[in-house]
Every structure is written in structure tokens, then in C-alpha cells.
Amino acid sequence: MTSVLVLNGPNLNLLGTRKPEVYGSTSLADVEKMCEQEAGRLGLDLTFRQSNHEGQLIDWIHEAGREVKAGNSIGAVYNPGAHTHTSVALHDAIEGAELPVIELHISNVHKREEFRHHSFISPVARGIVVGFGVLGYPLAINGLHQLFQQGS
Ligand code: CA2
């Protein structure tokens, strides 16, 4: 079966434990269940991952690019966390792997501090979902699936 990857960057393992006023009170395990449900509804297998380590995320992006090329995956929904605002390496990984990525942020980063307004990921993303809370995850899976079906 074709799969979709949902990738989460640093500190997202803390989701639901702190800062509920910014990120809500849903845990990452519950987000995984929501993604599982949406992927299943679309006839996709889900791979759901989180890491606090940039190199690990780069390796997963390279692997995901190979899976897309092999016809086994439609691409990735990616919440890069704070790497969004700092990482040229992750930008280069997505570009180099030619991985179709929907960049996702739980919070509306544009309503927050100035340093969150710039993203190194957006220029290499196919689409961006921002500010829908954790509902953005199933929305982004759906959007990536629709782009894939259109062949675009
Ligand atoms: O809004 C988002 O999804 C972010 O990608 C979350 C990142 C932040 O650095 C980005 O600017 C926007 C932070 C993820 C850390 O999440 C936490 C959750 C609960 C408690 C502490 C951190």
C-alpha cells in the first residue's frame, strides 16, 4: 500500500504537556491517532516519526525521497519545529531528496515573535498549513493526497 510520512522535529514530543495556550492539550500520541485515521480514510499507510536530532531528520528525509521515487509513498507532512527558522541543512535535504513536503505549524507563527516569521523550509515545500492547531495534521495529509492525485 502507498504510504504517507508525518515527520516532527525538536521538542514536539512535549506536545500536550506544556504551553497549552500556544499548542493545545493534545499529545503527540493522540496526533498520531488522528493521522492514522485520516491516512486510513484515504487508503494510505502512515509512518509517524519525531526526533530532536537534525541528522536523524535529514536521514529520514533522504529515505522518504527514495520511497517516493520507488512509488511507495506520496511524500511527507513535516512540522520542523524550531528547525524551521534555523536550518539550511533541512532545506537542502528536502531539495536534494526531491521530497514532496507539506510544511505544517500548529500555531500561527506569523502572529508570534519576529524570529518565527522566517522559514528555511517554505521555499522547498509544496504547501504550507499554519495555525489550525493539531487539526492541521489531517488537513495537510488530505492536501498532500489531493496534490498527488492531481499529479502536481
Ligand atoms: O507551531 C508550530 O507547530 C511550531 O513548529 C512549533 C515549534 C516552534 O519552534 C515553531 O516556531 C512553531 C515548537 C515545538 C515545541 O513544542 C512544544 C510543545 C509543548 C511544550 C513545549 C514545546
Side-chain angles (χ1 to χ4, degrees):
M1 202 195 272
T2 314
S3 70
V4 60
L5 172 66
V6 176
L7 206 52
N8 293 282
N11 297 310
L12 283 155
N13 53 311
L14 299 177
L15 206 61
T17 66
R18 289 182 45 234
K19 290 197 168 247
E21 70 286 1
V22 182
Y23 300 117
S25 49
T26 309
S27 69
L28 196 62
D30 287 334
V31 172
E32 181 171 1
K33 285 182 199 142
M34 291 164 62
C35 291
E36 198 66 76
Q37 195 174 6
E38 184 63 8
R41 208 178 63 77
L42 298 169
L44 298 167
D45 267 344
L46 176 75
T47 304
F48 192 91
R49 289 175 165 161
Q50 188 275 330
S51 177
N52 294 323
H53 304 281
E54 195 173 31
Q56 175 65 86
L57 289 154
I58 290 169
D59 288 344
W60 284 338
I61 287 166
H62 292 171
E63 179 191 301
R66 290 192 294 271
E67 287 301 303
V68 171
K69 284 201 175 66
N72 300 325
S73 168
I74 65 166
V77 169
Y78 181 25
N79 185 344
H83 284 151
T84 308
H85 320 297
T86 63
S87 183
V88 176
L90 284 163
H91 167 116
D92 288 350
I94 294 166
E95 190 171 49
E98 295 181 311
L99 177 67
V101 162
I102 305 296
E103 175 184 354
L104 173 137
H105 300 287
I106 297 167
S107 63
N108 180 353
V109 284
H110 299 289
K111 241 171 59 175
R112 301 181 63 193
E113 304 96 322
E114 188 83 31
F115 67 83
R116 296 186 202 274
H117 297 181
H118 177 262
S119 168
F120 282 100
I121 306 304
S122 297
V124 289
R126 298 292 309 281
I128 306 169
V129 173
V130 172
F132 285 87
V134 295
L135 280 178
Y137 282 84
L139 279 176
I141 291 173
N142 196 300
L144 180 61
H145 179 250
Q146 291 201 37
L147 287 179
F148 180 79
Q149 289 212 309
Q150 284 168 14
S152 58

